[in-house]
Amino acid sequence: MKSFSESYKAAGVDVTAGYQAVELMKSHVARTTTPGVISGLGGFGGMFRPELAGMKEPVLVSGTDGVGTKLRLAFLMDQHNTIGVDCVAMCVNDVICGGAQPLFFLDYLAVGKNHPEKIEQIVAGVADGCVQSGCALVGGETAEMPGFYPEDEYDLAGFCVGMVDREKIIDGSRMRAGDVILGLGSSGVHSNGFSLVRKVFRLEESNIGRYVEELGKTLGEELLTPTKIYVKSILQLIKECDVKAVSHITGGGFYENIPRMMKNGLTARIEKSALPSLPVFHLLQSVGNIPEHDMYNTFNMGIGMCLVVSPEEADKAKTLLTAAGETVYVMGQVAEGTEGVVLC
């Protein structure tokens, strides 16, 4: 007998819509398949066999995150095919900070009402993010929760597992005073600070479709730009350079995230004049009258990732990263001190 419950549907949960959504997402999941995948959709757990050849002591590295209130933009614009990239990015960009190759990803999608075509768009974005980071989408969960979420709203979170040989873990322990700090350009605001963004731009008041001359696009188009994924560029770099530390600039901006990669007794001295000047951050600061400290303590300010290398390898690292498609900034230097980060 085919699975169907008229009583459950009357309570707001349509299981047949759930099956339809799964059918629609299968082609997107297939795009992310890597050699380690040994299970398909439909099982109770995603199965993955990692390649251990050449590894002395494999270490699993995990990360989990959501998209936060950036989701409100997707609701307001009724555009759902990029928000999944943000979800993947927030997880895999964390995992790569330890030098780990992301292996597989799972998502959790909770909806007020199951609209299969909308769910397909969301999962298509998740699949795009997995392809960009070279990891497989091995499963997930779509939960229809009427009465808990409004019908046209949802929440999205994800979970990633990566792997690195223990002797190759990047942890900042070999950092020295005089080392160079490189910054990789961001694609914009990424996925952090959106409660402040929404307040400053009053996005709930239909301002999202307003064309902004400084941005060269509408406010919504700028803000919904997906978070940049840096995994493949950094993985390639660590094969050819000694990368001593990596920091993902997410919530908390420079002041919270850069100290997380610093060794005790050392400080990151960041030259503000060496950083990119993205119009969206100037606009946020001027419209919201936000103090400079709060900007650097909330947003990425045009830098999505920071990396530490020796002075001898700085030029080589910059060349390799540029060849990989990154915009690279020599943004500072490691110095003796206890502040964690100092902006000059």
Side-chain angles (χ1 to χ4, degrees):
M1 180 181 293
K2 190 174 181 180
S3 176
F4 175 75
S5 171
E6 191 66 53
S7 298
Y8 209 9
K9 184 176 181 179
V13 179
D14 187 352
V15 294
T16 57
Y19 302 144
Q20 183 183 352
V22 171
E23 287 301 314
L24 291 173
M25 70 177 69
K26 281 183 177 179
S27 63
H28 300 293
V29 174
R31 292 191 286 120
T32 74
T33 301
T34 62
V37 177
I38 59 174
S39 66
L41 294 183
F44 288 99
M47 298 183 184
F48 191 94
R49 182 185 184 278
E51 177 55 66
L52 303 180
M55 282 202 167
K56 297 178 182 178
E57 195 173 355
V59 174
L60 296 179
V61 182
S62 59
T64 186
D65 209 338
V67 183
T69 61
K70 185 174 183 175
L71 287 172
R72 292 293 305 169
L73 276 77
F75 304 159
L76 291 168
M77 296 177 68
D78 194 24
Q79 182 178 327
H80 311 280
N81 61 340
T82 62
I83 208 75
V85 177
D86 292 288
C87 187
V88 175
M90 299 307 292
C91 299
V92 298
N93 284 346
D94 279 355
V95 166
I96 192 62
C97 289
Q101 161 76 65
L103 298 177
F104 58 85
F105 187 87
L106 294 94
D107 61 4
Y108 175 78
L109 178 60
V111 302
K113 183 174 177 59
N114 191 325
H115 299 287
E117 292 78 12
K118 180 186 289 187
I119 289 175
E120 179 192 11
Q121 291 181 47
I122 298 166
V123 175
V126 173
D128 288 341
C130 287
V131 169
Q132 290 178 34
S133 56
C135 70
L137 178 57
V138 297
E141 168 69 7
T142 302
E144 190 171 14
M145 303 171 66
F148 194 86
Y149 292 98
E151 281 198 5
D152 291 324
E153 296 187 6
Y154 56 85
D155 197 9
L156 177 65
F159 177 84
C160 175
V161 173
M163 186 169 66
V164 61
D165 207 340
R166 185 168 184 173
E167 65 181 17
K168 296 180 180 179
I169 291 175
I170 298 173
D171 60 5
S173 61
R174 292 174 292 100
M175 193 185 301
R176 299 288 182 269
D179 284 341
V180 176
I181 303 172
L182 301 177
L184 305 186
S186 72
S187 57
V189 182
H190 282 183
S191 300
N192 298 103
F194 270 85
S195 293
L196 180 54
V197 169
R198 289 164 47 233
K199 179 183 177 182
V200 168
F201 291 139
R202 297 182 298 172
L203 296 181
E204 307 290 341
E205 299 176 17
S206 302
N207 287 328
I208 203 162
R210 177 171 58 89
Y211 182 86
V212 180
E213 193 69 37
E214 301 99 299
L215 302 176
K217 60 185 74 172
T218 69
L219 196 55
E221 288 170 337
E222 170 66 34
L223 296 175
L224 204 58
T225 301
T227 304
K228 188 169 176 56
I229 292 176
Y230 302 92
V231 169
K232 291 183 178 179
S233 299
I234 295 177
L235 283 175
Q236 185 60 40
L237 179 68
I238 62 181
K239 290 178 182 177
E240 303 187 50
C241 285
D242 180 18
V243 179
K244 299 185 178 184
V246 183
S247 178
H248 182 198
I249 309 303
T250 58
F254 282 38
Y255 285 109
E256 187 172 311
N257 291 290
I258 293 179
R260 295 169 67 180
M261 73 174 179
M262 300 304 297
K263 180 180 175 182
N264 287 340
L266 295 176
T267 294
R269 296 186 63 84
I270 305 299
E271 300 290 338
K272 289 183 290 186
S273 61
L275 301 177
S277 181
L278 297 189
V280 66
F281 295 114
H282 291 295
L283 196 62
L284 271 165
Q285 187 170 12
S286 60
V287 174
N289 193 27
I290 303 171
E292 181 182 77
H293 179 277
D294 290 0
M295 291 294 295
Y296 282 96
N297 210 159
T298 306
F299 302 113
N300 67 61
M301 302 302 287
I303 298 292
M305 301 285 280
C306 293
L307 304 93
V308 176
V309 297
S310 68
E312 295 77 18
E313 292 207 291
D315 286 341
K316 179 182 178 183
K318 185 176 180 181
T319 298
L320 289 168
L321 288 165
T322 301
E326 303 297 345
T327 304
V328 187
Y329 302 87
V330 180
M331 56 185 285
Q333 192 174 54
V334 176
E336 294 182 358
T338 58
E339 296 94 335
V341 61
V342 174
L343 272 62
C344 307

